[in-house]
Amino acid sequence: MARRPKLSPGLVVRYLILVLMAVLLAGPLLWQVSLSLKGAGDPLYTRPPELIPGHPTLDNFATVLDRIPVPGYLLNSLLVAAMAVCGNVVGATCAGYALGKLRFRGRGVAAGICVAALLVPAETVLISQFLLVRAAGLANTLLGVVLPTIVAALNVLLMRNAFRNLPAEFEEAAIVDGANAWQRFIRVSVPQVKGVITVVAIFAFVGSWNDFLWPLIVLSDEDNYTLTIGLNRLHGTFYDDPRLIAAGTIIALVPIVTFFAILQRYFFRGLEAGGLKG
């Protein structure tokens, strides 16, 4: 009989850390799913918590769809997310290529501004952002919601690092062949960083989809509410039903999971490659 491999103390500690991280990360999500499926007769706050509902039901989801116009809010969120993804993919890719590959005066200052933008808490510039959006006549519009994050500083830096990691031989060979900057950008560099572009797209989608404070400030017409703002209407004045709130969060989570599931292989490839193809 073959001997079973002995578990070293270090390996045991690693497994314990992995189990702990799984509980911390997946635990709240599993609890939300369980809560959204619990019926009126199921206890909510027992100790230890009961993850498997005694009388599972989908009535909570039906009640959410009946109380608030989820399809309209969902469409608004999809429009905002689509604009954010397109803006970040195009804008961050162009800016990242300029900062990573082109030589021009003030390139270091521009990169420094992007880094500084990451250090400024978003809450400190909300008032100035709102004043600018209102002065532009974009208050209470979906364009006003997406405008401040249409090109995020983090995504610009990600693309800059991706382009900087590309071998210089690609650019030099294209220059010898007579390619101009746009041709080198589109035909040579962009195909090498598709994985990082996917990372940018996912970051932009998740960030815009989950944003709550800024749309709450900009939007005043309920017809323009995004899904995260619309779900806030599930809170009652004197009583909140945790089952309905959990069902609403699961509804809002489905598009994010779907979007990530479609792009996950490109996402991990982009993280591992760091901008290098192959």
Side-chain angles (χ1 to χ4, degrees):
M1 295 179 61
R3 289 185 177 181
R4 292 184 179 181
K6 294 183 179 180
L7 293 178
S8 63
L11 188 60
V12 173
V13 172
R14 292 179 186 177
Y15 278 118
L16 290 177
I17 293 176
L18 289 175
V19 171
L20 178 61
M21 293 300 298
V23 171
L24 292 177
L25 295 177
L29 176 59
L30 293 177
W31 173 248
Q32 287 291 90
V33 173
S34 172
L35 197 59
S36 67
L37 296 175
K38 288 188 175 183
D42 289 325
L44 301 181
Y45 305 113
T46 58
R47 293 184 181 181
E50 297 179 2
L51 289 179
I52 301 177
H55 304 86
T57 178
L58 297 177
D59 290 344
N60 297 320
F61 295 92
T63 303
V64 171
L65 296 174
D66 183 63
R67 284 194 179 184
I68 60 175
V70 171
Y73 296 157
L74 183 64
L75 178 60
N76 292 337
S77 290
L78 288 174
L79 290 175
V80 170
M83 288 188 288
V85 170
C86 293
N88 276 277
V89 167
V90 175
T93 303
C94 291
Y97 178 79
L99 295 176
K101 286 297 184 182
L102 301 183
R103 301 290 184 266
F104 58 92
R105 183 176 299 176
R107 185 181 67 163
V109 175
I113 292 175
C114 291
V115 174
L118 296 177
L119 304 178
V120 179
E123 293 78 8
T124 61
V125 296
L126 282 177
I127 296 177
S128 59
Q129 283 184 357
F130 177 74
L131 293 177
L132 289 173
V133 168
R134 188 179 64 178
L138 297 177
N140 194 33
T141 65
L142 297 180
L143 182 58
V145 173
V146 74
L147 192 59
T149 58
I150 200 164
V151 181
L154 174 61
N155 294 333
V156 173
L157 293 176
L158 285 175
M159 295 308 306
R160 169 180 174 267
N161 293 336
F163 284 118
R164 287 186 64 180
N165 289 334
L166 292 178
E169 290 78 8
F170 291 152
E171 289 272 323
E172 295 171 356
I175 293 175
V176 171
D177 291 338
N180 57 34
W182 279 108
Q183 290 171 333
R184 299 197 303 270
F185 169 64
I186 296 174
R187 299 181 181 179
V188 178
S189 296
V190 168
Q192 307 296 323
V193 295
K194 289 181 180 180
V196 184
I197 292 176
T198 303
V199 174
V200 169
I202 291 177
F203 282 176
F205 183 89
V206 174
S208 63
W209 188 272
N210 289 335
D211 194 10
F212 176 81
L213 182 58
W214 175 244
L216 182 65
I217 294 174
V218 176
L219 300 175
S220 57
D221 189 354
E222 291 188 1
D223 291 337
N224 292 330
Y225 278 3
T226 58
L227 186 57
T228 53
I229 303 300
L231 291 177
N232 195 47
R233 295 176 56 186
L234 294 174
H235 291 280
T237 304
F238 302 104
Y239 174 74
D240 293 334
D241 190 341
R243 301 175 184 86
L244 298 183
I245 297 174
T249 58
I250 297 302
I251 292 175
L253 184 64
V254 170
I256 296 179
V257 175
T258 303
F259 189 78
F260 182 79
I262 295 173
L263 300 179
Q264 63 172 336
R265 62 173 180 171
Y266 305 104
F267 175 78
F268 291 113
R269 186 184 304 171
L271 291 180
E272 294 173 0
L276 289 174
K277 185 176 181 180

